[in-house]
Amino acid sequence: MGTTGTARTAGTTGASGAALGPLSDDRALLGRTSTAERVAEILRTRIAEGHFPPGERLSEDAIGKALGVSRNTLRESFRLLTHERLLVHELNRGVFVRVLAVEDVRDIYRTRRLVECAVVRGLGAPPFDVGGLEEAVEAGELAADEQAWKGVATANIHFHRELVALAGSVRTDELMRGVLAELRLAFHVVDDPRGLHEPYLVRNRQFLEALKSGDGAGAERLLAAYLDDSRDQLIEVYARLVAAGGTATAVRD
């Protein structure tokens, strides 16, 4: 698996029907002023929520029809997402969801630690507005009760987006939308999604309770350890995949 993230998985025959059905529902989000940026946001969200796994070939015809946009608009949105390292273009083959390398995982967590811990450190005096975090924690716990580990992963992404939103910074939100979408690509290669996500349900709850009690410093310590452990767990998975053959096989989480 090289650092270019070239896709080489079995899921390269086109965007899955399961993803395209819900994608049609997003057509209404485009409104009358459809732009490549809005299309990119929809696809970025779909990637972050696990609908398009690493190695998936994105069909211009199918996605363009589902969203009701022109080929040129869709290609521009693909270009934007390629710049964000979520997609990769392969000559004469098409556009694919990117497959991450070990160094990508390290860099994602380096960025997350810098940004997320700084957000918590800069919260100021309590009380903190934790309503969005609480909703994400409860959604994750409910999904776990139903053994819906893909739902747990999505709730976890929402949890960290809500955490970053506490900074009240549009720029920070935009930066982390892309970073967290890349993170979901890393989740896909884990063949034990329950083992990956279940321990962090408790840790999300512990972090939330620390903030609710006004302990910002304690919450930051919990978050730093949380991110370090999550990074090490994912890197171990990637290292094992590299040792086994060099290319990560996407697994739906």
Side-chain angles (χ1 to χ4, degrees):
M1 177 170 57
T3 57
T4 59
T6 301
R8 287 287 184 272
T9 68
T12 60
T13 59
S16 67
L20 288 173
L23 189 63
S24 298
D25 297 335
D26 288 333
R27 184 171 179 171
L29 299 177
L30 298 175
R32 294 179 179 273
T33 57
S34 175
T35 65
E37 287 82 4
R38 288 191 180 92
V39 174
E41 174 61 21
I42 288 170
L43 295 177
R44 185 187 301 111
T45 299
R46 288 289 170 179
I47 291 170
E49 293 183 349
H51 295 282
F52 297 115
E56 182 86 13
R57 181 178 178 275
L58 300 186
S59 166
E60 286 187 6
D61 290 340
I63 293 175
K65 183 177 180 180
L67 291 175
V69 298
S70 70
R71 187 179 296 269
N72 286 341
T73 296
L74 189 58
R75 286 178 176 176
E76 175 62 13
S77 71
F78 283 172
R79 186 191 68 79
L80 292 171
L81 294 176
T82 298
H83 181 70
E84 294 177 18
R85 298 172 299 279
L86 294 177
L87 302 180
V88 60
H89 179 266
E90 295 189 19
L91 188 62
N92 299 323
R93 297 192 69 235
V95 175
F96 297 80
V97 179
R98 193 161 175 263
V99 178
L100 301 185
V102 174
E103 285 307 314
D104 294 315
V105 176
R106 286 198 180 96
D107 197 38
I108 286 168
Y109 275 88
R110 187 179 301 119
T111 302
R112 292 186 68 196
R113 210 177 192 282
L114 286 169
V115 174
E116 294 186 42
C117 289
V119 167
V120 176
R121 195 178 313 125
L123 286 178
F128 308 119
D129 183 7
V130 298
L133 285 171
E134 191 149 28
E135 288 180 7
V137 168
E138 290 173 355
E141 291 170 345
L142 178 61
D145 288 343
E146 297 172 350
Q147 302 292 300
W149 301 108
K150 181 176 179 178
V152 173
T154 297
N156 186 60
I157 294 293
H158 289 170
F159 175 85
H160 288 280
R161 288 184 65 167
E162 291 294 338
L163 188 163
V164 172
L166 294 175
S169 167
V170 173
R171 291 171 179 82
T172 304
D173 289 344
E174 289 178 350
L175 167 66
M176 292 304 293
R177 273 198 294 270
V179 171
L180 293 173
E182 280 193 271
L183 177 65
R184 190 57 181 264
L185 299 183
F187 286 172
H188 271 293
V189 305
V190 178
D191 56 7
D192 179 16
R194 178 174 184 171
L196 173 66
H197 298 302
E198 190 170 41
Y200 295 95
L201 291 168
V202 175
R203 297 177 79 162
N204 284 351
R205 173 63 71 179
Q206 290 172 339
F207 175 85
L208 173 63
E209 295 303 324
L211 283 187
K212 288 173 70 174
S213 71
D215 185 8
E220 184 184 352
R221 288 193 296 273
L222 288 171
L223 178 62
Y226 173 126
L227 292 174
D228 288 347
D229 290 345
S230 179
R231 176 202 61 207
D232 293 346
Q233 184 179 10
L234 277 175
I235 286 176
E236 180 182 356
V237 171
Y238 268 77
R240 188 168 66 246
L241 288 166
V242 169
T247 300
T249 300
V251 177
R252 289 191 179 275
D253 54 0

